[in-house]
Amino acid sequence: MKIFPFILIFTALITFVAGQLLFKRAMVASQNAGFGKEFATFFVPGIVSMTVSFFLTLGLLQHFDLSYLYPFQGLSVIIIRVTAALLLKEKLTLQLTIGALLISLGVVLVSLS
């Protein structure tokens, strides 16, 4: 794989992950203080991040097969899980870790084809 498409795929993936984490923080903020300024502080950047991810993915679909791109989306599960554990202090279990490793193996196998 050439480096530029890989960078675009990675950017789409990271913006998707960032959007999910920001949405989670926004929802926690809404529980604590309602839908005010703290909620908007996380929700608006989440919308922007997810929008960037969406349009990058659309552009990538013009150049790659869906069957090639979709396994990379599987990495989002892993990245979200790890960053949620680090940033949001969510619990990371052995079962989730093994599942993430299996997903990673699948992504590597697909990317080699």
Side-chain angles (χ1 to χ4, degrees):
M1 173 184 270
K2 295 181 181 177
I3 190 73
F4 187 66
F6 177 75
I7 290 170
L8 289 178
I9 291 169
F10 186 71
T11 302
L13 182 64
I14 293 302
T15 53
F16 177 79
V17 168
Q20 293 295 323
L21 293 172
L22 288 164
F23 285 156
K24 173 63 177 176
R25 291 289 303 265
M27 293 301 105
V28 169
S30 73
Q31 264 186 326
N32 298 336
F35 294 101
K37 186 177 181 180
E38 186 180 356
F39 168 79
T41 300
F42 296 108
F43 188 72
V44 172
I47 292 285
V48 171
S49 184
M50 293 296 282
T51 302
V52 169
S53 174
F54 175 76
F55 284 110
L56 277 173
T57 301
L58 285 180
L60 288 165
L61 285 171
Q62 288 180 316
H63 302 286
F64 296 100
D65 292 338
L66 181 61
S67 60
Y68 181 78
L69 287 176
Y70 193 73
F72 287 99
Q73 290 297 321
L75 288 176
S76 68
V77 174
I78 298 162
I79 297 169
I80 287 172
R81 194 65 216 135
V82 170
T83 54
L86 293 173
L87 301 176
L88 304 176
K89 307 299 184 224
E90 292 185 3
K91 188 177 178 184
L92 187 59
T93 65
L94 178 62
Q95 186 176 1
L96 289 170
T97 303
I98 291 170
L101 291 172
L102 291 173
I103 291 170
S104 298
L105 179 63
V107 170
V108 168
L109 289 174
V110 168
S111 68
L112 294 175
S113 64

